[in-house]
């Protein structure tokens, strides 16, 4: 039996970052992980592999759509699907091995196997029981089930199956126009599939800024994605490798069907904490099945903490990483904290979508006086030179103080540009602070500055 200051359960972005940080702060640390590789859902079957497939399929799109315009000619590339999957697996391998290396470097013990907590202060992995002054649950989330839909991960898949389909389907129905549905729907559309996205709400990407939602849907439709909005999926039947999706249009209650070679169910995720023994320990859950924690990530059971997708808040890898960082600092006697007002969210389609802080809809509902500065990427020379003029940057600033309240971007490198705003918000910046900062020309980031200028007296290129 080994004894530790802290054992993290789960080696995903929350657990592995927390474990490394805790070790850096001088604690004796272990991390239990049952998968064959570290990195959790994000590295193995989520963020990282999907980015590889998004990149490969975007390159194909560029070759088909834009190479000719730039005077590049030659044989059109063909999709070698097994090779594309091998490239994706290579990317996963590099990243998961990287974490294994960091564990060794920081002297974090990897307890290989699925863990449970027989009692506070003890973690069981396989037959071994390890002692720990503190235990941090970072077990993440899993795809939530949709009643009437049975997942086989071949014809009816979650994001996990969608990252390893046996072949590129001719047709695909995506249930849910959220992040996973649109990222993976984009991949297969670009690879040649007919993609239909069926969404319960009357708009895509719930929670996003309304103008972004409309522009994003228009641009995805232009790329060939078909949308059926306001439709509740009620069931999927599979016969001879083909799926029939039954749904009801909410406006008139009519029943419809859609057939496809593959159905991706992307209707959200739920916290995963099965098998830990939480019920016997008396760990309190929220009504939504998340582990209830206080502001120091402590559960109601002394010595047991929880972070990441398994607790409240957006299910985002970087939110879990920040919480891992914070809980490690708290356990080391420091003042770890996360600013939940400044957590960016990004959709890695083309164009990218990124957001931070309040939406216009939320500010209106609050009755808050604000100014919106918005500029199109069409007025950005760099964007136009790379066929990326679609989209805009919108900054929202307090009408009285000019303090930045939020930003909503759709366009080239939006997922990177958003961080200029995040840093500004952390420093309590006014839109004018960004407007007065020299931005290199020609860069996409000039659109951010122009949007900041548009919050005040006006942008130059608008
Ligand atoms: P989501 O919550 O983003 O979207 C689910 C969508 O499914 C919603 O629009 C919902 O209205 C719709 N829906 C639910 N039931 C339905 C039904 N019966 N019929 C039709 N539509 C229905 O969930 P998603 O895309 O599965 O993602 C899960 C989590 O993973 C999210 O929290 C997301 O933030 C995270 N994630 C983040 C990524 C990123 O940051 N780029 C990438 C992938 C996932």
């Amino acid at each position: 039996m080994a004894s530790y200051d802290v054992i993290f359960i789960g080696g995903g972005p929350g657990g592995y970052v927390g474990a490394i940080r805790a070790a850096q702060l001088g604690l004796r640390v272990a991390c239990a992980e049952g998968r064959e590789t570290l990195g959790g859902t994000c590295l193995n079957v989520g963020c990282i592999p999907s980015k590889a497939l998004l990149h490969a399929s975007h390159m194909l799109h560029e070759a088909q759509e834009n190479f000719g315009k730039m005077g590049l000619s030659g044989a059109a590339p063909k999709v070698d699907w097994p090779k594309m999957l091998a490239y994706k697996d290579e990317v996963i391998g590099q990243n998961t091995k990287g974490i294994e290396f960091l564990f060794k470097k920081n002297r974090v013990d990897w307890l290989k196997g699925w863990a449970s907590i027989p009692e506070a202060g003890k973690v069981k992995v396989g037959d071994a029981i390890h002692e720990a002054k503190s235990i941090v649950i970072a077990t993440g989330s899993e795809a939530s089930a949709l009643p009437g839909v049975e997942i086989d991960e071949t014809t009816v898949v979650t994001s996990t199956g969608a990252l390893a389909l046996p072949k590129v389907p001719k047709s695909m129905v995506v249930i849910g126009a959220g992040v996973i549905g649109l990222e993976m729907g984009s991949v297969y559309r670009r690879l040649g599939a007919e993609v239909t996205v069926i969404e319960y709400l009357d708009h895509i990407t719930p929670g996003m800024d309304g103008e972004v939602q409309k522009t994003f849907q228009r641009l995805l439709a232009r790329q060939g994605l078909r949308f059926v909005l306001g439709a509740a999926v009620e069931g999927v039947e599979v016969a001879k490798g083909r799926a029939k999706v039954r749904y009801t249009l909410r406006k008139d209650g009519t029943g419809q069907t859609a057939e496809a070679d593959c159905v991706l169910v992307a209707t959200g995720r739920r916290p995963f904490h099965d098998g830990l023994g939480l019920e016997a320990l008396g760990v309190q859950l929220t009504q939504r099945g998340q582990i209830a924690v206080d502001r120091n990530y402590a559960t109601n059971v002394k010595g047991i903490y929880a972070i990441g997708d398994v607790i409240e808040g957006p299910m985002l890898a970087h939110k879990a990483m920040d919480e891992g960082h914070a809980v490690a600092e708290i356990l080391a006697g420091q003042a770890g904290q996360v600013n939940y007002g400044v957590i960016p969210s990004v959709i890695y389609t083309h164009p990218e979508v990124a957001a931070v802080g309040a939406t216009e809809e939320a500010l209106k509902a609050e009755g808050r006086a604000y100014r919106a500065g918005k500029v199109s990427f069409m007025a950005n020379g760099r964007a136009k030179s790379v066929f990326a003029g679609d989209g805009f940057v919108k900054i929202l600033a307090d009408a009285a103080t000019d303090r930045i309240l939020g930003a909503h971007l759709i366009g080239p490198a939006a997922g990177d540009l958003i961080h200029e705003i995040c840093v500004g918000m952390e420093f309590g910046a006014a839109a004018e602070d960004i407007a007065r900062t020299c931005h290199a020309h020609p860069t996409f980031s000039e659109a951010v500055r122009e949007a900041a200028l548009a919050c005040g007296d006006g942008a130059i290129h608008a």
Side-chain angles (χ1 to χ4, degrees):
M1 173 161 55
S3 180
Y4 295 95
D5 290 317
V6 52
I7 296 179
F8 285 80
I9 302 182
Y16 88 73
V17 167
I20 292 172
R21 186 72 188 133
Q24 287 173 344
L25 293 173
L27 301 183
R28 184 156 153 63
V29 186
C31 178
E33 172 55 61
R35 266 182 218 272
E36 306 230 322
T37 46
L38 295 166
T41 299
C42 175
L43 265 72
N44 289 284
V45 285
C47 328
I48 298 298
S50 61
K51 260 73 280 170
L53 293 184
L54 278 158
H55 176 67
S57 60
H58 178 58
M59 290 293 106
L60 177 69
H61 172 87
E62 286 291 284
Q64 290 167 340
E65 296 292 317
N66 294 327
F67 276 20
K69 295 179 198 161
M70 294 184 281
L72 297 171
S73 56
K78 287 200 194 87
V79 178
D80 181 336
W81 182 237
K83 206 161 180 178
M84 200 180 281
L85 291 180
Y87 147 69
K88 174 213 64 169
D89 290 337
E90 171 72 24
V91 172
I92 296 173
Q94 284 168 4
N95 281 277
T96 56
K97 281 194 203 87
I99 296 174
E100 215 174 319
F101 164 77
L102 290 175
F103 269 18
K104 285 194 186 118
K105 185 178 159 198
N106 290 284
R107 294 204 202 94
V108 173
D109 288 349
W110 175 6
L111 309 176
K112 295 187 184 180
W114 301 104
S116 60
I117 311 173
E119 60 185 277
K122 292 202 165 65
V123 173
K124 185 167 185 275
V125 182
D127 293 331
I129 298 210
H130 306 271
E131 281 186 350
K133 286 184 205 142
S134 306
I135 298 167
V136 181
I137 301 169
T139 43
S141 59
E142 62 177 1
S144 42
L146 191 57
V149 182
E150 201 175 313
I151 304 289
D152 60 25
E153 293 296 11
T154 311
T155 308
V156 184
V157 298
T158 64
S159 53
T160 302
L163 290 165
L165 291 180
K167 58 178 188 194
V168 176
K170 286 210 172 65
S171 54
M172 177 180 250
V173 165
V174 174
I175 309 176
V179 190
I180 292 179
L182 298 181
E183 287 188 355
M184 292 315 298
S186 287
V187 166
Y188 286 104
R189 175 68 205 121
R190 291 174 198 156
L191 296 178
E194 293 286 331
V195 177
T196 304
V197 183
I198 304 181
E199 165 58 47
Y200 181 83
L201 299 171
D202 294 324
H203 52 79
I204 67 170
T205 56
M208 283 266 171
D209 172 90
E211 269 185 290
V212 169
Q213 287 172 339
K214 286 195 193 94
T215 304
F216 191 27
Q217 188 185 334
R218 182 171 52 77
L219 294 175
L220 290 175
R222 208 208 279 160
Q223 292 169 21
L225 272 85
R226 222 185 119 236
F227 288 96
V228 181
L229 301 182
V233 170
E234 266 131 25
V236 177
E237 278 86 47
V238 178
K240 291 185 190 149
R242 222 172 136 69
K244 192 189 268 186
V245 180
R246 282 182 290 109
Y247 61 93
T248 302
L249 290 178
R250 294 199 298 130
K251 63 174 189 261
D252 55 15
T254 51
Q256 312 267 339
T257 56
E259 285 195 32
D261 297 329
C262 179
V263 175
L264 166 61
V265 182
T267 51
R269 296 180 64 82
R270 67 173 194 94
F272 177 77
H273 43 66
D274 298 358
L276 291 173
L278 298 189
E279 214 179 308
L281 287 162
V283 172
Q284 261 170 21
L285 302 182
T286 68
Q287 278 187 335
R288 302 181 61 198
Q290 300 141 328
I291 297 177
V293 291
D294 67 12
R295 56 189 302 186
N296 288 327
Y297 307 103
T299 68
N300 61 311
V301 177
K302 198 168 175 340
I304 301 183
Y305 299 76
I307 57 166
D309 282 11
V310 86
I311 66 166
E312 205 187 333
M315 288 181 163
L316 296 171
H318 44 281
K319 176 256 194 191
M321 288 173 156
D322 281 18
E323 289 175 346
H325 220 270
V327 79
E329 292 180 347
I330 290 165
L331 293 175
Q334 299 185 356
Q337 60 94 37
V338 175
N339 179 359
Y340 290 96
V342 187
I343 294 186
S345 56
V346 178
I347 308 179
Y348 300 88
T349 44
H350 195 82
E352 286 185 351
V353 176
V356 67
T359 60
E360 276 198 72
E361 289 75 15
L363 293 175
K364 279 183 189 141
E366 243 179 70
R368 182 128 183 207
Y370 68 93
R371 279 199 303 270
K374 183 180 157 197
V375 297
S376 164
F377 276 105
M378 276 302 173
N380 179 284
R382 179 70 180 278
K384 280 213 311 227
S385 70
V386 297
F387 311 101
D390 287 323
F392 58 82
V393 177
K394 178 161 78 175
I395 295 178
L396 307 173
D398 187 279
T401 65
D402 196 34
R403 192 173 175 141
I404 299 172
L405 303 173
H408 305 277
L409 286 73
I410 175 164
D416 289 299
L417 297 180
I418 193 75
H419 296 95
E420 176 175 359
I421 309 283
C422 295
V423 172
M425 287 175 78
E426 281 286 350
F427 279 75
E432 189 180 344
D433 291 318
I434 291 192
R436 286 189 183 276
T437 303
C438 183
H439 285 61
H441 175 76
T443 58
F444 302 135
S445 73
E446 288 173 283
V448 176
R449 183 198 202 170
E450 291 270 286
L453 276 166
C455 284
D457 292 344
I460 304 295
H461 301 86

